[in-house]
Amino acid sequence: MASDDLLWCDQLVKFYETSTGRVQAVRGIDLEFAVGTTAAIVGPSGSGKSSLLRMLAGLDRPTAGTVMVDGVDLWRLSERARARARADMITHIYQRPNDNLFGHLSAEMQLARVAKSSGSVDAWLHALGLEAQRTLRPAQMSGGERQRLAFARAAVAEHRLMIADEPTAQLDSANASAVLDAIDVLAGRGITAIIATHDRRVLDRVGEVVELRDGAVSTITTGGARLSVIDRSGRLQLPPELRERFPHGRARLRWTSESEHIEIERP
């Protein structure tokens, strides 16, 4: 784990027991995200996105593996200590805006009840463009305003990590853009945001895109470069379009030290 990592996980595995047998939702995932990172978790239905997010958020216990948030090993804590750590460090933002807020409280009161300092409420209402909504309850606000308010709650609570599940799925383009602007503001203040999404608008704005397939990390795109993943056990994950060229699951590797290239050939 690097010194600037806010979130780090090692060899995460998740099994579910079903009526038809055991299902492996997550298969040995290794990831690390630095302070202030914005990252999208993508993949087809059943790829393990929701299972991964719930383990990173401290909501579902892994079958095996480690999750570290700001130096705290979440799954070595007691249930009570883990709940306290989550309350101190993590905001989990749900897809439906109404699920993130108290229906009877105004925007200002939503923030005041979790704020660590009195001045932060006004500061974050201003930073996220919600000053005009300070006296409104959620039912009087747009979906985008409600989602931005949920992000503001994370900021005034001084949480270091936000984990969001499809936060723009129910928003039109204007509201989605405003929510993504809010995420950029929070990232600029050192808050790390991990977002499960299918929304191309999100993918165009985040710093990293982590693609899952069959419960494992397939590729990571950062700085415009799509990179294959070598996990801590030395396993190389090929992108789906290349993996189809190796139907028998075997390959010959050839390392060229002069050019630092690896060639992958069918045997």
Side-chain angles (χ1 to χ4, degrees), residues 105-115 118 120-122 125 130-138 141 149 153 156:
L105 295 179
S106 68
E108 185 174 23
M109 291 305 298
Q110 304 271 355
L111 304 189
R113 66 182 293 147
V114 297
S118 58
S120 65
V121 172
D122 288 340
L125 286 172
L130 293 168
E131 290 174 299
Q133 289 75 31
R134 69 166 51 241
T135 63
L136 302 183
R137 293 188 298 276
M141 302 167 67
L149 185 59
R153 290 183 75 239
V156 300

Side-chain angles (χ1 to χ4, degrees), residues 164-241:
D165 193 357
E166 300 278 3
T168 61
Q170 298 189 5
L171 305 181
D172 60 25
S173 294
N175 276 305
S177 180
V179 166
L180 293 170
D181 288 344
I183 293 172
D184 287 343
V185 171
L186 270 65
R189 307 285 181 91
I191 297 172
T192 300
I194 311 299
I195 307 160
T197 187
H198 292 96
D199 191 341
R200 170 54 59 181
R201 298 170 297 187
V202 177
L203 305 187
D204 291 339
R205 295 281 295 269
V206 296
E208 296 182 12
V209 177
V210 177
E211 183 178 357
L212 301 186
R213 190 164 295 272
D214 299 327
V217 178
S218 173
T219 62
I220 295 179
T221 301
T222 181
R226 190 181 185 214
L227 306 175
S228 291
V229 172
I230 303 173
D231 67 20
R232 293 187 179 95
S233 298
R235 292 171 296 194
L236 173 65
Q237 298 286 345
L238 295 180
E241 62 272 19

Side-chain angles (χ1 to χ4, degrees), residues 19-41:
S19 59
T20 57
R22 175 175 287 186
V23 175
Q24 187 169 6
V26 172
R27 304 169 183 267
I29 286 181
D30 303 323
L31 289 169
E32 54 275 328
F33 300 103
V35 172
T37 294
T38 58
I41 309 294

